[in-house]
Amino acid sequence: MRSIWRSLDPALARDIALVLVADTLVGVSFGAIAVGAGLPFWLPMLLSVVVFAGAAQFIFVGLVASGGNPVAAVLAGLLVNARHLPFGFAVADTLGTGWRRLVGAHLMIDESVAFALAQPGQEQRRRAYWVTGVGLFVCWNVGVLAGAVAGTAITDTNALGLDAAFPAVLFALVLPSLRDRHARRAALVGAAIALATTPLLPAGLPVLLALAGVAVAEISRRGSAQAQESS
Amino acid sequence: MSVSATSLLVPALVLGLGTYGFRVVGPLLRDRFTLSERVERLMVTATVVLLAALVASAAFIEGHAFAGWARPAGVLVGAALAIRKAPFVVVVLAAAATAALLRLAGVP
């Protein structure tokens, strides 16, 4: 792992480090909120190790803390995490083989996928994926532990604007892929579908429905290919 | 172990296992067949679309409702800087600072 850190481009290492700091603070708030809501000390830490996905963890804790049915909390969390299925097919090649593939799969989160996607070559993608994944796993769990122990030191990360930092991070990482006109159309349609359906559907589903946007990219690609042929 | 602890332990483990299931299917199936260039491209487009949809939802939505103006304003500032090729650090800090300052000024 140390050799991967060393071989990482310094600018990329700095970018990843910034995201690690921001997500550590969100982890602190998650630990504090879960314990503050009266849930046992070990629950946020267990979730952070075995689930390791912020949005699903917040939803799970929010539902069980408000007296919701644990089965419903599991289903809500699974729905939010279903996006990892298509992610898995996209990053499969960057994980390696054997045990690396099994461990690497657990490190699959929005940030590691987005950092990998933003790299130009296969080898850089692999490094970016692993450094982000391992770094976030460590930082997220340390943050959650600190929050669960220290309690209410940081519960409102919104006051720090961290809720605006997360989408900005993803946008900056996805931006190079949006230079492709067809991908840009697909992304716009997908984002519009997700926003339009959010008030009506359970969390997680709108983002999955956004995948319909992929069809737009294909149609648009085929259209421009035909136009080229006929001209 | 008390009943209430078990009633939380098992759901937490099930959620973890299910999530790992989602994560591991793609990597495990990958060797079984080679994908055509077109399907490879579809996978990348699908990831771009998912991340873009996450950006939009995370920027505007809290739960099922509008998140207030401070957050999308911060994201917009960050996005504009990213499009103008500002360094990543500037993008992230500007997005956070804009949202934080707007909230300090009373914008929800």
Side-chain angles (χ1 to χ4, degrees):
Chain A
M1 206 68 235
R2 203 190 296 155
S3 65
I4 285 189
W5 264 117
R6 246 187 254 145
S7 59
L8 202 67
D9 170 36
L12 178 58
R14 193 193 53 205
D15 294 352
I16 293 174
L18 178 71
V19 172
L20 297 186
V21 171
D23 281 352
T24 305
L25 293 177
V26 177
V28 172
S29 80
F30 174 71
I33 286 167
V35 172
L39 293 169
F41 181 76
W42 52 265
L43 185 66
M45 292 190 287
L46 177 71
L47 287 169
S48 298
V49 172
V50 302
V51 180
F52 185 46
Q57 289 178 224
F58 271 107
I59 283 180
F60 181 90
V61 157
L63 285 176
V64 296
S66 61
N69 184 336
V71 176
V74 170
L75 291 178
L78 285 176
L79 193 53
V80 170
N81 281 342
R83 68 179 182 282
H84 293 91
L85 186 67
F87 279 165
F89 284 97
V91 300
D93 280 347
T94 58
L95 302 191
T97 53
W99 66 268
R100 283 196 185 82
R101 183 159 46 185
L102 296 177
V103 174
H106 192 56
L107 303 175
M108 191 185 297
I109 34 161
D110 302 328
E111 288 90 339
S112 58
V113 171
F115 265 111
L117 184 78
Q119 308 312 311
Q122 178 68 21
E123 187 52 31
Q124 289 131 301
R125 269 200 288 279
R126 193 180 66 84
R127 285 186 200 142
Y129 180 90
W130 278 91
V131 170
T132 311
V134 171
L136 262 183
F137 189 79
V138 172
C139 289
W140 178 248
N141 280 289
V142 168
V144 171
L145 172 65
V149 173
T152 52
I154 311 178
T155 49
D156 187 15
T157 51
N158 283 10
L160 301 171
L162 289 183
D163 56 326
F166 173 71
V169 162
L170 289 188
F171 179 82
L173 292 174
V174 91
L175 192 57
S177 308
L178 295 179
R179 300 242 164 79
D180 175 52
R181 180 163 43 101
H182 310 295
R184 194 164 59 232
R185 282 180 193 158
L188 278 174
V189 171
I193 293 172
L195 284 183
T197 54
T198 293
L200 316 166
L201 298 172
L205 208 49
V207 169
L208 293 179
L209 287 180
L211 283 174
V214 175
V216 174
E218 276 308 285
I219 293 164
S220 134
R221 230 183 278 274
R222 210 164 290 169
S224 63
Q226 274 168 3
Q228 259 173 5
E229 270 168 35
S230 59
S231 68
Chain B
M1 186 177 285
S2 75
V3 176
S4 107
T6 321
S7 71
L8 289 174
L9 177 67
V10 174
L13 292 176
V14 171
L15 177 56
L17 271 177
T19 301
Y20 186 71
F22 286 136
R23 283 170 166 146
V24 88
V25 166
L28 284 184
L29 286 182
R30 192 67 158 149
D31 288 354
R32 301 287 168 84
F33 39 84
T34 43
L35 297 173
S36 70
E37 206 172 300
R38 187 165 154 270
V39 177
E40 293 253 6
R41 200 182 56 210
L42 272 181
M43 295 298 176
V44 174
T45 309
T47 309
V48 171
V49 169
L50 280 174
L51 290 173
L54 278 176
V55 170
S57 330
F60 289 100
I61 310 286
E62 177 73 52
H64 285 276
F66 180 53
W69 286 108
R71 191 193 299 174
V75 178
L76 197 68
V77 168
L81 286 166
I83 290 170
R84 306 205 58 171
K85 299 200 161 67
F88 186 77
V89 180
V90 174
V91 170
V92 177
L93 293 183
T98 304
L101 289 175
L102 281 175
R103 288 199 179 107
L104 209 57
V107 179

